Amino acid sequence: MKPSSNIWIRRQQCPCGDWKCYVKYEGDDQTSVSSQLIKNETTSTSSSSEAVFMPYVGQIFKTDEDAFEYYSNFARKNGFSIRKARSTESQNLGIYRRDFVCYRSGFNQPRKKANVEHPRDRKSVRCGCDAKLYLTKEIVNGVTQWYISQFSNVHNHELLEDDQVRLLPAYRKIQEADQERILLLSKAGFPVNRIVKVLELEKGVQPGQLPFIEKDVRNFVRTCKKSVQENDALLTEKRENDTLELLEACKAMAERDADFVYDYTTDENSKVENISWSYADSVRAYTVFGDVVTFDTTYRSITYGLLLGVWFGIDNHGKPVFLGCALLQDESLNSFAWALQTFLRFMRGRCPQTVLTDIDSSLRDAIARELPDTKHVICSWHVHSKLSSWFAPSLGSQYEEFKAEFDMLCHLEGIEEFEHQWNHLVARFGLASDKHIALLFSYRTSWPLSYIRSYFLARSMTAEFYQSLDEFFKRILSGQTCLQLFFEQVGFAADLRNRSKKALQYMHTKTCLPIEENARSILTPYAFNALQHEIVLSMQYATTELANGSYLVRHYKKMEGEYLVIWISQDEQIHCSCKEFEHSGILCRHCLRVLTVKNYFEIPEKYILFRWRLESSLVALEDQNGQCNSDEYAQVFHSLAATLLTESLFTKERFNHVHRELSRLLEHVRNMPVSNEFASNMAANNISES
């Protein structure tokens, strides 16, 4: 429990408000400690059920600890435990003999009676059992090894069954994560019996199935009471000193860079409470990419007791751009409100169109108060990351089926259809009284597509963007960081000069439509790929013109589902009932189909948002002249490939020969060296056909 390192963990308290409810995140090792412990227990039990051979005289081990572990596994399998007894040492060899014995070996030595009126008469489990394993060290060809010199497996007592042997003191362990939880509950005033019940609930195990018993918890709490008080004092001192150092670092940065901004609050004792900061690059980025902002409050520091809030935008390449950072003393409405006020002040009072967050009632209320005109959306990945923790224990084998139906429900387009299918889902899986289902439904206007399809999100809820956020946090968070070092890591990650320059990727055209060629010259590869996908699919849609000049657009195969596209020719306005442009800033396939029918060779200027254009890039792109050269190369290869395909299809023998030679040629080309100049011009992008 040394407060020497700053440990960042995911917030585990469930947003449902129940103190007994903690979230275990899917795929997150650090916050799945409890599940990992259960896994370890299961592994250890399963390993004990495997064949464990009886030790024998002459058996060799690399170290004495290896021998002890081997004998301990054998003992657990056979219904007893062992302990370390005598060790023998010499000047030349050091310790050269180790004695391991049965836990009931020897006899209890009578102790001097304490000077009390009613001394406790404790019964001893020792009964002179002679089961033992003696190790001797030897050096062979300069290599140290240990061998069994004596072994006896004769016991003078009954051996225990599996369900009894796990309760022996040698096998009762309170892991570090459980120790932290026990101390937290103890400090909150929970008695030991309630602490045990809470741990059983959190781990999802039956009463009495924890790897320790109530007595162990009581002894641990008693032993740690003094050290906890001392540790709290150390943590308090460390937090005060380190937050002051962080404040001084902010002041020094402001002196060096006049555009650096920071703010903080203090408590009644003039100690730093909350602190927030941002950089000149971030403020500049916000002017272009501040329309959609993600406020990530996933992590908190268990050393400092501070919540980390980071503001991100999404740039024209689909990557996160750092906008600001806050360290908050708690998760209260006032703390979140201060963070919002400070961020807006940093960004010169301009509010985002949409803000994305995790599920949090205090944060929701703060956004409603401080950003009344901003749309609030719950990130879909935050919802999905909690599903396993919330529903897998109660649904068991039905969980995977539930999850599949839940995913489908999230993507429904109509509100009425969503609510109808929601009621069906709740009834089918018997979740009418489940608190987490009730919580999700109370937030329904903020996370399902049917409710937020008209909110502008700029593609910030894709899996790729979430992975990029995760990579950013891995760069700035580490186990051994004080706040000042953390501040330096954030500054380095936020500095646009540290971003590698992007080489302009070669963007293939997939159709002969002039609209596609025009968009390729304006949009970033990321935005063009998204638009190109819609252009390709638009060719599968039929249009029916209505009397008012609008169009009904439907897929040529799918009879159900049609979209209304409103076309206003006077000022070239186009709107689709699917709301894709309002949602992502990329025109949908239905609008693109209508534009093609109307003989448009370029997308109207207003429908190519500045935020997706090449010219809005925060980091300069490499020389873009390679696009023209790439087009010439592509035409040559297309012509040659078309001729080769025609000739190879005459016979199977021709086809097999061409396939074999092309595979060999491809392997040879891949192994050829590439010059830097040519690579920058021909940095081809693997375009997905899906």
Side-chain angles (χ1 to χ4, degrees):
M1 295 188 60
K2 297 178 182 178
S4 58
S5 61
N6 181 19
I7 307 299
W8 297 94
I9 64 169
R10 288 181 184 265
R11 294 166 67 193
Q12 293 177 287
Q13 184 65 56
C14 181
C16 71
D18 186 347
W19 60 266
K20 299 189 297 296
C21 190
Y22 269 65
V23 176
K24 301 169 191 172
Y25 294 87
E26 293 183 358
D28 187 79
D29 296 332
Q30 191 173 17
T31 58
S32 302
V33 180
S34 298
S35 56
Q36 187 63 40
L37 294 180
I38 296 296
K39 181 180 177 182
N40 290 343
E41 287 296 316
T42 308
T43 303
S44 123
T45 304
S46 63
S47 66
S48 67
S49 63
E50 298 172 0
V52 179
F53 297 104
M54 182 181 295
Y56 57 89
V57 173
Q59 188 172 357
I60 295 174
F61 299 93
K62 289 184 178 179
T63 67
D64 54 338
E65 288 301 323
D66 289 347
F68 183 81
E69 182 181 356
Y70 185 90
Y71 191 25
S72 182
N73 289 336
F74 172 79
R76 181 161 188 168
K77 169 67 178 173
N78 288 274
F80 67 101
S81 67
I82 62 172
R83 57 183 170 84
K84 295 178 180 178
R86 185 179 56 176
S87 61
T88 309
E89 187 175 0
S90 74
Q91 189 172 0
N92 294 330
L93 291 176
I95 296 176
Y96 67 90
R97 174 169 162 163
R98 292 279 194 190
D99 295 354
F100 306 143
V101 298
C102 174
Y103 77 112
R104 302 194 68 175
S105 172
F107 295 96
N108 190 39
Q109 299 297 322
R111 298 180 180 178
K112 293 182 179 180
K113 291 188 178 180
N115 189 20
V116 293
E117 186 175 350
H118 300 289
R120 285 183 293 178
D121 184 19
R122 293 181 177 176
K123 292 184 178 179
S124 173
V125 297
R126 298 192 181 185
C127 61
C129 180
D130 195 41
K132 61 195 174 190
L133 184 151
Y134 292 170
L135 280 177
T136 300
K137 181 164 71 174
E138 63 179 356
I139 299 177
V140 179
N141 297 328
V143 178
T144 301
Q145 63 184 23
W146 295 77
Y147 68 92
I148 299 177
S149 54
Q150 291 187 53
F151 174 71
S152 171
N153 196 37
V154 178
H155 298 266
N156 63 354
H157 55 88
E158 290 186 6
L159 301 177
L160 304 177
E161 298 294 332
D162 286 345
D163 61 336
Q164 296 173 311
V165 75
R166 70 179 185 84
L167 297 176
L168 291 175
Y171 306 126
R172 298 202 311 260
K173 304 289 185 184
I174 303 181
Q175 301 289 345
E176 186 175 347
D178 289 329
Q179 291 177 11
E180 293 177 2
R181 190 82 178 104
I182 289 168
L183 291 176
L184 181 65
L185 293 171
S186 178
K187 287 172 64 177
F190 284 78
V192 171
N193 60 338
R194 284 192 66 188
I195 291 175
V196 172
K197 290 185 183 300
V198 169
L199 292 173
E200 289 172 345
L201 284 170
E202 289 179 356
K203 292 175 178 292
V205 299
Q206 294 297 318
Q209 293 302 307
L210 291 171
F212 45 84
I213 61 177
E214 188 174 311
K215 176 183 175 182
D216 301 323
V217 176
R218 182 170 287 105
N219 290 339
F220 173 72
V221 171
R222 186 184 299 117
T223 302
C224 289
K225 209 163 194 178
K226 184 177 179 182
S227 62
V228 167
Q229 294 171 349
E230 294 172 351
N231 191 62
D232 284 348
L234 288 172
L235 285 175
T236 301
E237 182 181 1
K238 178 178 176 61
R239 177 182 174 180
E240 292 174 2
N241 293 337
D242 286 8
T243 48
L244 280 175
E245 288 181 3
L246 174 60
L247 182 57
E248 291 301 318
C250 288
K251 291 178 180 178
M253 176 66 76
E255 291 176 0
R256 295 194 303 270
D257 182 359
D259 294 322
F260 174 81
V261 286
Y262 74 99
D263 197 5
Y264 64 98
T265 63
T266 57
D267 60 18
E268 61 275 8
N269 298 316
S270 300
K271 294 174 181 175
V272 178
E273 209 173 30
N274 305 309
I275 188 167
S276 181
W277 66 91
S278 185
Y279 303 89
D281 281 346
S282 301
V283 176
R284 181 166 65 89
Y286 187 81
T287 60
V288 182
F289 304 116
D291 42 15
V292 179
V293 170
T294 298
F295 186 41
D296 195 293
T297 55
T298 301
Y299 290 91
R300 69 177 299 111
S301 165
I302 62 174
T303 300
Y304 299 101
L306 294 173
L307 176 70
L308 172 63
V310 185
W311 301 89
F312 294 101
I314 179 171
D315 70 9
N316 54 345
H317 297 278
K319 298 298 183 183
V321 53
F322 176 88
L323 299 177
C325 181
L327 290 171
L328 307 175
Q329 65 159 343
D330 55 35
E331 301 164 29
S332 65
L333 170 61
N334 289 336
S335 292
F336 285 131
W338 177 84
L340 292 166
Q341 294 166 5
T342 306
F343 178 73
L344 288 180
R345 191 164 61 254
F346 290 168
M347 301 303 152
R348 298 162 188 171
R350 180 189 165 196
C351 298
Q353 293 182 41
T354 312
V355 60
L356 291 87
T357 73
D358 197 351
I359 301 174
D360 189 293
S361 59
S362 296
L363 183 53
R364 176 182 60 180
D365 294 343
I367 290 172
R369 191 173 82 183
E370 304 298 332
L371 300 171
D373 298 324
T374 296
K375 304 295 186 184
H376 181 204
V377 172
I378 303 299
C379 299
S380 58
W381 61 74
H382 284 310
V383 173
H384 285 83
S385 67
K386 297 176 177 65
L387 292 181
S388 176
S389 181
W390 282 350
F391 302 111
S394 58
L395 293 177
S397 59
Q398 288 185 299
Y399 171 70
E400 290 301 326
E401 189 178 354
F402 164 82
K403 186 179 178 183
E405 291 197 23
F406 186 91
D407 289 341
M408 181 181 66
L409 185 144
C410 290
H411 294 92
L412 295 176
E413 294 185 359
I415 292 177
E416 290 184 4
E417 185 182 8
F418 169 83
E419 295 194 352
H420 173 73
Q421 293 296 333
W422 179 271
N423 292 332
H424 175 73
L425 181 80
V426 171
R428 182 181 173 196
F429 292 97
L431 297 171
S433 60
D434 188 275
K435 61 187 177 185
H436 297 120
I437 279 288
L439 177 71
L440 287 173
F441 193 69
S442 70
Y443 278 86
R444 67 189 179 281
T445 58
S446 300
W447 61 269
L449 178 63
S450 54
Y451 283 91
I452 65 171
R453 62 195 299 219
S454 62
Y455 296 0
F456 185 57
L457 297 181
R459 298 177 63 83
S460 56
M461 286 218 295
T462 62
E464 293 79 12
F465 183 67
Y466 174 69
Q467 290 169 0
S468 297
L469 287 185
D470 198 43
E471 291 168 4
F472 181 91
F473 280 115
K474 286 178 180 177
R475 291 199 300 272
I476 67 170
L477 302 179
S478 63
Q480 304 294 326
T481 50
C482 63
L483 288 183
Q484 188 170 359
L485 181 55
F486 167 73
F487 175 74
E488 294 171 3
Q489 290 171 331
V490 171
F492 183 83
D495 193 337
L496 294 178
R497 292 173 298 181
N498 296 322
R499 284 194 174 193
S500 57
K501 288 187 176 181
K502 296 179 175 65
L504 183 65
Q505 297 172 329
Y506 174 62
M507 297 178 284
H508 299 274
T509 55
K510 296 182 179 180
T511 70
C512 298
L513 297 177
I515 277 182
E516 183 186 16
E517 186 65 38
N518 171 248
R520 182 174 69 158
S521 65
I522 300 173
L523 298 173
T524 62
Y526 175 80
F528 175 73
N529 287 344
L531 180 67
Q532 184 183 56
H533 180 70
E534 297 297 316
I535 290 174
V536 171
L537 292 179
S538 72
M539 303 175 73
Q540 301 178 11
Y541 284 78
T543 61
T544 303
E545 187 172 6
L546 303 179
N548 60 0
S550 299
Y551 288 83
L552 280 180
V553 182
R554 65 163 60 92
H555 193 272
Y556 81 102
K557 277 187 178 179
K558 301 172 184 175
M559 299 307 296
E560 76 285 352
E562 59 185 13
Y563 297 89
L564 175 65
V565 176
I566 299 173
W567 168 252
I568 304 174
S569 58
Q570 290 82 353
D571 51 0
E572 294 186 319
Q573 285 191 48
I574 192 166
H575 305 279
C576 181
S577 58
C578 79
K579 305 287 185 184
E580 178 60 32
F581 181 75
E582 290 82 354
H583 194 66
S584 68
I586 302 292
L587 271 183
C588 66
R589 61 201 70 171
H590 318 112
C591 288
L592 290 165
R593 181 59 180 159
V594 171
L595 289 176
T596 304
V597 169
K598 303 296 284 185
N599 293 324
Y600 267 75
F601 302 112
E602 294 182 359
I603 295 175
E605 191 79 6
K606 67 178 75 173
Y607 294 108
I608 301 183
L609 299 184
F610 180 73
R611 68 147 16 261
W612 293 131
R613 296 177 180 233
L614 286 165
E615 59 194 281
S616 67
S617 298
L618 297 173
V619 179
L621 296 171
E622 295 289 355
D623 182 16
Q624 300 174 12
N625 295 328
Q627 186 75 57
C628 297
N629 294 333
S630 299
D631 289 344
E632 296 172 6
Y633 296 141
Q635 290 177 7
V636 172
F637 276 111
H638 285 163
S639 175
L640 183 60
T643 304
L644 190 61
L645 176 64
T646 302
E647 294 294 332
S648 65
L649 291 179
F650 280 110
T651 66
K652 187 175 181 180
E653 183 181 3
R654 280 191 177 192
F655 175 81
N656 290 338
H657 175 74
V658 169
H659 183 270
R660 183 171 58 254
E661 293 301 318
L662 281 179
S663 299
R664 189 179 302 162
L665 177 62
L666 179 61
E667 185 65 26
H668 176 71
V669 171
R670 280 176 174 165
N671 293 327
M672 293 175 65
V674 180
S675 68
N676 292 335
E677 180 181 358
F678 190 80
S680 65
N681 289 337
M682 291 294 293
N685 180 31
N686 291 327
I687 306 295
S688 171
E689 297 293 334
S690 60

